[in-house]
Amino acid sequence: MRTRRARVRTTRAEYLLPHARETVFWARWLTAAFLTRVIAGATAPADPADAYLIVTELVANVTRHTRSSCRLRLCVAADTLTVEVSDDCPDRPRFRPPAPGDESGRGLLIVCALAHTIDVLDTPTGGKTIRATLSAA
């Protein structure tokens, strides 16, 4: 007897972004275009506003704390959206409690609050990938 497996539709996109001032803008724009295309006529895998904010924070960290370009990967499978941002810098992100008057320093805390899971992975080339997974509510 043959059993049928349910097919899970997976959609992926990958973008190489330069180390530039406007990189965060383009990362958000590409994420919006990707999600618009993926969720056309379907249920969103996660809140798009959460995805935009996570992409913004992770890409901004690369442009602010490294001299590296970055690679943005987006993947939708079933009811999950995975956001990955890779760079060539081996330094791992540091969580630091911001002082009340600080204007920055909360990005990773925001990502952790919005994402279902967050992982930091070393890449074979000596850099790192930060992966945030968002699930449908």
Side-chain angles (χ1 to χ4, degrees):
M1 182 171 154
R2 210 176 205 182
T3 59
R4 292 182 127 196
R5 287 187 181 179
R7 286 190 175 179
V8 176
R9 182 176 173 216
T10 301
T11 305
R12 301 171 197 255
E14 184 170 330
Y15 309 100
L16 181 60
L17 302 167
H19 186 271
R21 252 191 335 221
E22 59 277 355
T23 296
V24 174
F25 167 81
W26 285 112
R28 284 177 62 93
W29 188 89
L30 291 165
T31 301
F34 173 80
L35 290 176
T36 299
R37 186 181 79 234
V38 168
I39 64 175
T43 305
D47 184 348
D50 290 350
Y52 304 150
L53 190 51
I54 287 173
V55 166
T56 298
E57 293 300 334
L58 294 180
V59 172
N61 282 348
V62 172
T63 60
R64 185 175 298 127
H65 300 293
T66 76
R67 295 179 188 263
S68 171
S69 59
C70 69
R71 188 171 305 275
L72 170 64
R73 289 181 207 88
L74 303 167
C75 178
V76 171
D79 61 350
T80 303
L81 168 64
T82 302
V83 174
E84 292 182 350
V85 176
S86 302
D87 63 59
D88 297 332
C89 181
D91 299 338
R92 297 178 74 79
R94 290 179 294 161
F95 291 93
R96 59 179 177 85
D102 287 351
E103 293 183 9
S104 64
R106 295 172 180 81
L108 285 176
L109 296 173
I110 292 169
V111 172
C112 287
L114 296 175
H116 180 66
T117 62
I118 183 169
D119 301 299
V120 181
L121 311 165
D122 295 324
T123 63
T125 58
K128 67 184 165 303
T129 297
I130 301 177
R131 177 189 305 148
T133 305
L134 294 91
S135 299

